[in-house]
Amino acid sequence: MEPKLSNATARKQVLIDIALQGGGSHGAFTWGVLDRFVEEPWLRIEGISGTSAGAMNAAVLASGWASGDATGAKAALDAYWEGVTRVAAFSPLQRSPLDRLMDRWTLDTSPAYVAFDLMSRMLSPYDLNPLGFNPLRAILLESIDFDCLKRVPMKLFITATSVRTGRGRIFRNAEITPDVLLASACLPTMFQAIEIDGDFYWDGGYVGNPTITPLIRETGGEDTVLVQINPRERADLPRSAAEILNRLNEISFNSPLMKELRMIALLRQVADPGDGEGARWARMRMHSVKSDRLAEFGASSKLNVERSFIILLKEEGRRCADEFLLRHGDDLGRRSTVDLDVLLTEC
């Protein structure tokens, strides 16, 4: 079947950057967005910033692109997520019969999930997993040609958090290894900190989810598309312990992004639109692809890697990307579709 092209297909090529949030299995939504975007020959992805699951998607996409352009990128993403679901089939973290009966994708009533959640509050990963085993390492080695990342034309920016300093570190193409990707996705209650160059790292979402600044300063594109996974707003007040922890998680992992976008909005107002770096900030255009449906699934569903759920998320990502291209394809390269200035009115 020929890919469905947007109404902007006939336009000249547009350089874009993509910023990918992390969010566990919800990263399959991003898979769907990328799968749809690479079908458009007029879109050229120059830079990708990714954190956690976003970092995995970014590296897999770039590696696949190096081996076969859009076709290779799609195949690489398919293979990576297929590998994730294959390994997850043997995980004790499965939906309970009640969750399945109620057609819920959460693990809230899963005995294994409840037991793990309780143990993680009393025992660290160094107690529960002394060998530091992470099944994602083998999948990454199968899915990504790390040597190719040094030569691929896409610029990658992967964020991880230094445990020692609390500051973020941005890893670029030549620095990216399996350890870098695992560090970017290293939740400290689940995995041991990852050692890189004598320093230890945790999940990059604590400092940048994802980091936007290097996309503006180090690429030629002036349009950044943010693929959002974590809901920024919720209408209902969380009341149960699970709902409160879920909301705290969302606020924590959205906070660095909101602060950076607010800073960018301020710089755009004061930057010199003439030549030089100031012009890059002044001309920067922001866009967003997101789905309200992700807010319905709950935090525990980010550990649900059932194939049916992953495919559902991918299809939702494709649907939202298709909707974005139909509504805003003509805006790419011309105007922002996200109003950053409204952030300046917030506290």
Side-chain angles (χ1 to χ4, degrees):
M1 180 183 295
E2 291 295 322
K4 180 182 178 182
L5 303 181
S6 77
N7 58 354
T9 303
R11 285 176 44 200
K12 65 179 182 180
Q13 194 172 66
V14 176
L15 295 180
I16 66 169
D17 297 320
I18 301 181
L20 308 178
Q21 276 197 324
S25 66
H26 290 193
F29 172 82
T30 301
W31 169 27
V33 174
L34 297 175
D35 188 75
R36 179 66 186 88
F37 271 15
V38 298
E39 292 175 354
E40 296 288 354
W42 60 279
L43 283 180
R44 177 183 158 195
I45 302 172
E46 182 168 11
I48 310 177
S49 176
T51 297
S52 193
M56 311 288 183
N57 278 316
V60 172
L61 173 72
S63 175
W65 190 275
S67 65
D69 293 346
T71 301
K74 288 167 70 72
L77 285 166
D78 290 350
Y80 168 75
W81 283 100
E82 184 63 36
V84 170
T85 59
R86 186 173 61 250
V87 170
F90 301 98
S91 169
L93 296 178
Q94 303 288 340
R95 284 188 297 162
S96 70
L98 177 60
D99 284 328
R100 296 176 189 274
L101 181 64
M102 300 295 291
D103 198 25
R104 297 185 304 219
W105 295 107
T106 62
L107 303 177
D108 293 342
T109 62
S110 164
Y113 173 78
V114 172
F116 175 79
D117 187 48
L118 290 173
M119 284 192 297
S120 67
R121 299 169 197 267
M122 297 179 290
L123 299 172
S124 81
Y126 298 88
D127 301 315
L128 297 171
N129 184 11
L131 297 179
F133 173 71
N134 189 327
L136 276 179
R137 183 181 296 276
I139 299 173
L140 292 173
L141 289 170
E142 291 177 0
S143 306
I144 300 172
D145 184 337
F146 287 91
D147 287 333
C148 276
L149 297 185
K150 301 174 184 178
R151 303 186 298 273
V152 70
M154 294 179 187
K155 295 180 180 180
L156 301 181
F157 307 95
I158 305 302
T159 302
T161 303
S162 169
V163 181
R164 179 176 56 86
T165 66
R167 294 196 296 266
R169 176 175 171 182
I170 308 298
F171 296 87
R172 291 161 175 82
N173 294 57
E175 304 170 293
I176 297 173
T177 64
D179 278 342
V180 167
L181 298 179
L182 292 176
S184 183
C186 180
L187 290 173
T189 58
M190 293 184 66
F191 302 107
Q192 296 182 20
I194 304 296
E195 183 177 5
I196 302 172
D197 299 334
D199 206 351
F200 290 87
Y201 294 90
W202 280 338
D203 195 299
Y206 296 111
V207 292
N209 192 22
T211 307
I212 306 294
T213 303
L215 293 174
I216 302 173
R217 302 185 67 176
E218 300 182 36
T219 73
E222 295 176 354
D223 290 77
T224 297
V225 181
L226 171 63
V227 182
Q228 294 182 263
I229 290 179
N230 295 305
R232 186 185 171 204
E233 298 182 1
R234 284 189 182 271
D236 298 330
L237 177 68
R239 295 184 181 275
S240 71
E243 289 171 345
I244 291 171
L245 289 174
N246 181 25
R247 188 58 185 147
L248 283 173
N249 176 280
E250 291 171 348
I251 292 172
S252 298
F253 280 100
N254 275 329
S255 179
L257 173 64
M258 291 300 106
K259 289 180 179 178
E260 188 175 18
L261 291 178
R262 192 177 297 118
M263 179 201 70
I264 291 171
L266 179 61
L267 287 173
R268 288 179 64 209
Q269 288 193 352
V270 301
D272 183 354
D275 295 330
E277 185 172 334
R280 296 275 300 133
W281 294 97
R283 294 198 299 263
M284 180 259 189
R285 296 179 287 267
M286 197 74 194
H287 314 273
S288 174
V289 179
K290 58 185 178 181
S291 170
D292 293 336
R293 192 174 182 188
L294 294 183
E296 303 172 4
F297 297 132
S300 66
S301 68
K302 293 179 180 179
L303 296 178
N304 182 354
V305 202
E306 290 179 54
R307 191 175 191 280
S308 53
F309 184 47
I310 295 301
I311 296 301
L312 180 152
L313 290 167
K314 177 196 177 184
E315 292 306 316
E316 178 67 6
R318 280 191 58 88
R319 184 192 69 79
C320 290
D322 195 55
E323 182 178 276
F324 170 82
L325 290 170
L326 289 172
R327 292 182 60 189
H328 299 301
D330 290 331
D331 294 318
L332 291 172
R334 297 175 181 174
R335 62 183 70 86
S336 290
T337 57
V338 171
D339 183 12
L340 293 182
D341 292 339
V342 71
L343 296 175
L344 298 177
T345 65
E346 301 178 357
C347 296

